[in-house]
Amino acid sequence: MRVMLKATLDTEKSNELLRSGKMPEQIKGILDRLQPEAAYFGPLGGRRTMVLVLHMQDSSEVPPVGEPFFTHMNAEVEMCPVMNAEDLQKGLAQLG
């Protein structure tokens, strides 16, 4: 299942990671481990935010996916299932 993860980073903690030079390695480690289909970074709501599109096989993957954001970045994390256009068309075809 395709899942969109939005991680809103804690400003104080992310400032600390930036000053220490650890932010690039933290981001790289997360991306290497999760292998997202897509990854976007920018300010949303005035805070540093990461939006990743991931593939998850089972809901048991939620803790290991989300925990590094909580532990290393004090982030607020949201996850929700999403579809691309092909998935949507497949789903809509089943309604008839």
Side-chain angles (χ1 to χ4, degrees):
M1 175 172 46
R2 188 174 278 116
V3 175
M4 183 176 68
L5 179 148
K6 180 177 125 180
T8 304
L9 308 186
D10 176 77
T11 301
E12 186 176 320
K13 183 63 176 179
S14 56
N15 283 346
E16 178 185 312
L17 289 170
L18 283 168
R19 281 192 294 271
S20 71
K22 293 181 181 178
M23 181 69 88
E25 75 183 54
Q26 290 288 330
I27 301 295
K28 183 181 182 324
I30 287 169
L31 296 177
D32 287 349
R33 189 173 60 77
L34 297 179
Q35 296 292 301
E37 173 182 314
Y40 302 98
F41 309 89
L44 292 175
R47 294 175 62 196
R48 293 178 185 104
T49 304
M50 299 172 55
V51 178
L52 307 178
V53 179
L54 312 165
H55 288 275
M56 295 175 68
Q57 298 299 317
D58 189 88
S59 60
S60 66
E61 294 178 57
V62 170
V65 166
E67 202 56 41
F69 295 99
F70 296 126
T71 305
H72 301 295
M73 300 177 177
N74 293 349
E76 294 175 15
V77 178
E78 299 175 51
M79 291 185 217
C80 69
V82 294
M83 298 175 280
N84 63 17
E86 183 180 314
D87 296 333
L88 178 62
Q89 289 299 320
K90 182 179 175 182
L92 291 174
Q94 295 177 32
L95 295 176

